[in-house]
Amino acid sequence: MVVSSLLDHLQHLIANARNGERIALAVSGGADSMALMHLMADALGADAAGCLIVLTVDHGLRPESAVEAETVAARAEALGLTAHVLTWEGDKPITAIESTARDVRYRLLTGATRAAGASTLVTAHTASDQAETLLMRLARGSGIDGLSGMALETEVHGVRLSRPLLSVSRHELIAYLKARGLTWFDDPSNDDPAFERVRLRKKAEELRLLGLSAAPLSRSAERLARARAALEAETDAKAPLIGSADPAGSISLQHASWSALADEFRLRLLARAIHCVTGDPSPVNLSQLEAAAAALTAPGARGQSLHGAVIRVRKTEIFVMRETGRNGLPELLLEPGSQRIWDRRFAVSLAAMAPGPALIRAATLPELQSLAMVHGSLGVPRRSWRVVPVFVGANGSVFAAPLLALPNELATCRLLANWLSPSPGFTGHVAGLAPNP
């Protein structure tokens, strides 16, 4: 593939950068990401220094990783780009290394993207990565969402994540690097058969002979993503007709109307409700979701817990609420003049004029009883009383509970999820805000 064809996939990012957007590039040192960095730097020329930032992660899983990360930073700086090495501190896992490293990597990358004032993080995932993702998910029996593969654009931890090279093969990027005499690092883990992706990669030629090469698999993912978008659009239309949210974010579904829907829409609306009330953006296990939906339509259904949510059937409604859990909801210390995210569901802030920090937590039963005695109605249904934040002062007493009929000009609380939005799930981050620890 000639350079101009490769650049076609990057044109929207190049245009955005020229219009003043600051863009972060995730560069591991592998062929794909090194090609991305050089393509973007060359296309932007003298403008690259002002709008591109290179982020590379030292996972610390191999002795040579620190040197590789510093080399990537040096290569970026030689192109006139600002570069930052992000280090994974602390103990490393013994099991689930690949998934844990991915989670840590994205938290480091998105955090650094926000800190740099960039709004977009770009990765160099290719058609080859997309094909491997589809095959791995197919092996797990994934539904249409999983088989849609990686999206061209999505949001991760409050940052727009762009994957512009999803229709470009890894071989094309390697050819580009070789033609320019550029080098890259080969991660030894890419040859370790302990990893599922590597096992698939080693079978690439056999799969190609069966017609399962990257190009057709990537096209299938694109077509499935198109079908998924249509299903989500229809789900958006059904959401206000079937369910509603109270001010605390708990969801009420009309049992009869929900039960009458086609299976796919029942599942999507139930999953949407779970994401809304928990703030957990990770996919709900599809088999468990199917079992829960089937149980809710059975005679005498009462409910269950799933993915951090409590689901209860009451007369004509299905209530989906945040599960408090064995250890209760988290606590968060909020300094005056700051805003943070509590329990991935609420943005809480404390005015700079506050006399001291506030502890943000859920109310205890005696506190709720006391509030109810004074105010009667607390502004949200009783089922939601124990899952909303209150502000506790240095003396240990609640001085503000904006959602429980105890307002205070020093304290504000905003629900993040929106049942009616196309993407009501969220990541526990808001641009510029720190997540709860």
Side-chain angles (χ1 to χ4, degrees):
M1 179 178 281
V2 297
V3 174
S4 59
S5 297
L6 287 172
L7 289 175
D8 286 344
H9 299 274
L10 302 172
Q11 282 307 315
H12 69 291
L13 290 171
I14 294 168
N16 290 346
R18 285 180 173 150
N19 286 329
E21 181 179 350
R22 193 160 173 78
I23 294 173
L25 306 178
V27 182
S28 66
D32 303 342
S33 59
M34 292 295 268
L36 170 68
M37 179 176 73
H38 282 275
L39 283 164
M40 287 291 290
D42 289 350
L44 288 165
D47 295 331
C51 54
L52 295 183
I53 177 172
V54 172
L55 304 175
T56 187
V57 177
D58 173 15
H59 292 89
L61 295 172
R62 296 179 290 111
E64 60 271 27
S65 64
V67 172
E68 291 174 0
E70 292 296 340
T71 301
V72 168
R75 289 274 292 272
E77 289 164 357
L79 293 171
L81 307 179
T82 299
H84 296 287
V85 175
L86 313 175
T87 305
W88 180 6
E89 304 286 358
D91 296 333
K92 306 302 185 292
I94 298 174
T95 60
I97 297 173
E98 191 174 24
S99 60
T100 304
R102 181 178 61 249
D103 291 343
V104 170
R105 180 165 64 250
Y106 275 116
R107 289 199 176 276
L108 289 171
L109 289 169
T110 53
T113 298
R114 292 194 304 271
S119 56
T120 300
L121 172 67
V122 185
T123 67
H125 290 104
T126 66
S128 309
D129 296 308
Q130 185 74 296
E132 292 159 6
T133 297
L134 190 149
L135 287 171
M136 288 190 295
R137 293 179 179 178
L138 186 63
R140 294 182 176 87
S142 293
I144 191 169
D145 287 13
L147 297 179
S148 298
M150 294 178 283
L152 276 169
E153 284 199 352
T154 188
E155 183 179 302
V156 177
H157 304 324
V159 171
R160 182 167 64 250
L161 177 65
S162 177
R163 302 180 179 102
L165 301 178
L166 279 181
S167 57
V168 177
S169 77
R170 185 174 292 122
H171 299 298
E172 291 165 334
L173 295 175
I174 289 175
Y176 160 77
L177 291 174
K178 287 182 175 179
R180 292 204 47 191
L182 299 170
T183 59
W184 64 91
F185 294 109
D186 285 317
D187 188 337
S189 67
N190 289 333
D191 288 320
D192 187 348
F195 298 112
E196 181 183 15
R197 193 176 289 274
V198 173
R199 295 195 296 273
L200 279 173
R201 201 166 292 168
K202 289 180 178 296
K203 296 290 184 179
E205 181 58 23
E206 295 176 43
L207 292 170
R208 186 188 66 80
L209 293 174
L210 293 171
L212 296 173
S213 59
L217 287 171
S218 183
R219 281 197 300 273
S220 289
E222 289 177 12
R223 290 163 176 164
L224 286 163
R226 186 175 63 207
R228 176 191 183 185
L231 288 168
E232 278 298 288
E234 185 63 20
T235 303
D236 295 340
K238 293 181 184 301
L241 305 176
I242 303 296
S244 60
D246 67 32
S250 296
I251 307 296
S252 172
L253 302 174
Q254 299 172 29
H255 196 300
S257 300
W258 177 83
S259 299
L261 294 173
D263 287 350
E264 186 67 22
F265 294 114
R266 285 194 292 114
L267 293 171
R268 286 180 179 276
L269 285 169
L270 185 58
R272 174 177 291 208
I274 291 170
H275 286 305
C276 272
V277 304
T278 64
D280 184 351
S282 62
V284 184
N285 180 283
L286 184 54
S287 295
Q288 293 176 359
L289 185 67
E290 290 168 337
L296 290 171
T297 57
R302 300 186 63 180
Q304 58 197 282
S305 298
L306 177 62
H307 204 73
V310 176
I311 307 167
R312 293 287 181 264
V313 178
R314 294 288 186 272
K315 297 181 180 178
T316 62
E317 294 181 285
I318 299 171
F319 294 119
V320 185
M321 300 154 283
R322 171 74 163 97
E323 185 177 35
T324 56
R326 182 175 301 172
N327 298 317
L329 299 181
E331 295 185 349
L332 171 68
L333 190 65
L334 189 63
E335 296 292 338
S338 65
Q339 184 175 10
R340 299 282 298 278
I341 305 300
W342 180 77
D343 196 38
R344 296 188 295 198
R345 299 179 296 126
F346 294 94
V348 291
S349 63
L350 187 64
M353 65 185 72
L359 180 67
I360 312 300
R361 58 167 172 78
T364 64
L365 185 57
E367 288 167 344
L368 290 168
Q369 291 170 337
S370 176
L371 285 169
M373 287 180 62
V374 174
H375 301 284
S377 172
L378 295 188
V380 298
R382 182 180 290 271
R383 62 179 177 269
S384 296
W385 286 4
R386 301 192 68 177
V387 296
V388 296
V390 297
F391 292 67
V392 181
N395 62 359
S397 63
V398 174
F399 69 88
L403 294 176
L404 296 175
L406 184 60
N408 188 308
E409 63 180 7
L410 298 176
T412 62
C413 172
R414 177 170 59 89
L415 180 67
L416 296 177
N418 182 356
W419 167 247
L420 300 181
S421 75
S423 302
F426 44 85
T427 60
H429 291 66
V430 172
L433 300 186
N436 43 294

